């Protein structure tokens, strides 16, 4: 069973603070993604990666950075958190064209005060 | 970029009836269309997909239809059961393995 683990699961941050959301996958998938889920917007892609050392901007990258230091790990970094970044963040991994399926983590709920 | 519109925000159906969720997309180059399910308080998981080389695909009680000319695809949940109650997301990409663009989700409630 594919496994994607996110941490922390819940985080309260202050405006202007730095937040790092971490994601680990044991699927040996090349592709990893960060989405945020907001009511009325569904899931929106923030950053993604096709392999260690590479990151790409998604549809809403402003205010976020990403880091993929290894095949297994993909982090989302908010250098200066703002209340508009309060959301639920999902990490996913995918095996690419093989099946196309994404395997999602359990989500990280971030509240920026 | 691609935009995916999910036309029903909520659906309430009687147990045993069918539920139909419709989505449209804008990018004529899109060829891969998966559906994901999110149960209350949980994460998303894959349920079914369709690629542009076919116009119909069935997996047990789930049927996906694709109309490439109209840039429209739909999920049919037949003989609905209480465990089908969830939020369903449609998505599109240029190919399997490329980044997915999701719709906003449809909340399906199956009532007894």
């Amino acid at each position: 069973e594919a496994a994607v683990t996110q941490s922390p699961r819940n985080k309260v941050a202050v405006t202007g603070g730095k937040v790092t959301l971490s994601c680990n996958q044991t699927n040996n998938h090349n592709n990893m993604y960060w989405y945020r889920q907001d009511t009325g917007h569904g899931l929106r892609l923030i950053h993604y990666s096709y392999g260690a050392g590479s990151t790409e901007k998604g549809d809403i990258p402003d205010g976020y950075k990403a880091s993929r230091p290894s095949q297994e790990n993909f982090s989302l970094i908010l250098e200066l958190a703002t209340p508009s970044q309060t959301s639920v963040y999902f990490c996913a991994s995918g095996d690419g064209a093989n099946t196309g399926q994404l395997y999602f983590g359990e989500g990280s709920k971030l509240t920026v005060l | 970029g691609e935009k995916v519109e999910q036309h029903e925000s909520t659906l309430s159906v009687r147990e045993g009836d069918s539920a139909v969720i419709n989505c449209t997309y804008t990018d004529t180059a899109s060829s891969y269309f998966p559906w994901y399910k999110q149960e209350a308080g949980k994460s998303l998981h894959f349920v079914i997909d369709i690629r542009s080389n076919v116009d119909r695909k069935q997996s047990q009680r789930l049927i996906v239809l694709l109309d490439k000319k109209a840039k429209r695809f739909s999920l049919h949940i037949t003989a609905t059961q209480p465990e089908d109650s969830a939020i369903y997301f449609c998505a599109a990409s240029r190919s399997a393995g490329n980044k997915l663009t999701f719709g906003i989700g449809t909340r399906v409630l199956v009532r007894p």
Side-chain angles (χ1 to χ4, degrees), chain B residues 18-84:
Chain B
S18 291
V20 182
I21 306 169
N22 295 286
C23 291
T24 53
Y25 61 97
T26 58
D27 187 354
T28 52
S30 287
S31 68
Y32 176 66
F33 307 93
W35 290 84
Y36 286 81
K37 177 182 180 181
Q38 184 178 35
E39 295 167 33
K42 297 192 175 180
S43 187
L44 291 84
H45 67 268
F46 170 88
V47 289
I48 192 170
D49 61 12
I50 191 166
R51 301 180 193 219
S52 59
N53 59 337
V54 298
D55 55 18
R56 185 183 191 277
K57 182 175 180 180
Q58 181 165 1
S59 174
Q60 299 180 318
R61 295 186 295 106
L62 301 179
I63 301 170
V64 181
L65 302 178
L66 173 63
D67 181 343
K68 293 188 289 290
K69 280 189 177 178
K71 294 205 283 280
R72 180 173 57 219
F73 59 112
S74 57
L75 174 67
H76 299 244
I77 309 171
T78 62
T80 52
Q81 300 172 1
E83 55 263 36
D84 295 327

Side-chain angles (χ1 to χ4, degrees), chain A residues 10-29:
Chain A
N10 284 282
K11 172 78 177 176
V12 178
V14 295
T15 298
K18 182 177 180 178
V19 176
T20 300
L21 303 179
S22 300
C23 179
N24 176 274
Q25 54 109 352
T26 58
N27 310 320
N28 198 31
H29 288 162

Side-chain angles (χ1 to χ4, degrees), chain A residues 11-64:
Chain A
K11 172 78 177 176
V12 178
V14 295
T15 298
K18 182 177 180 178
V19 176
T20 300
L21 303 179
S22 300
C23 179
N24 176 274
Q25 54 109 352
T26 58
N27 310 320
N28 198 31
H29 288 162
N30 288 330
N31 300 351
M32 295 187 75
Y33 306 84
W34 276 107
Y35 287 90
R36 61 178 283 178
Q37 182 178 20
D38 304 284
T39 303
H41 291 280
L43 275 85
R44 291 180 290 173
L45 181 63
I46 307 169
H47 284 286
Y48 59 104
S49 168
Y50 288 141
S54 88
T55 61
E56 307 288 339
K57 292 181 179 180
D59 299 319
I60 54 163
D62 292 347
Y64 302 93

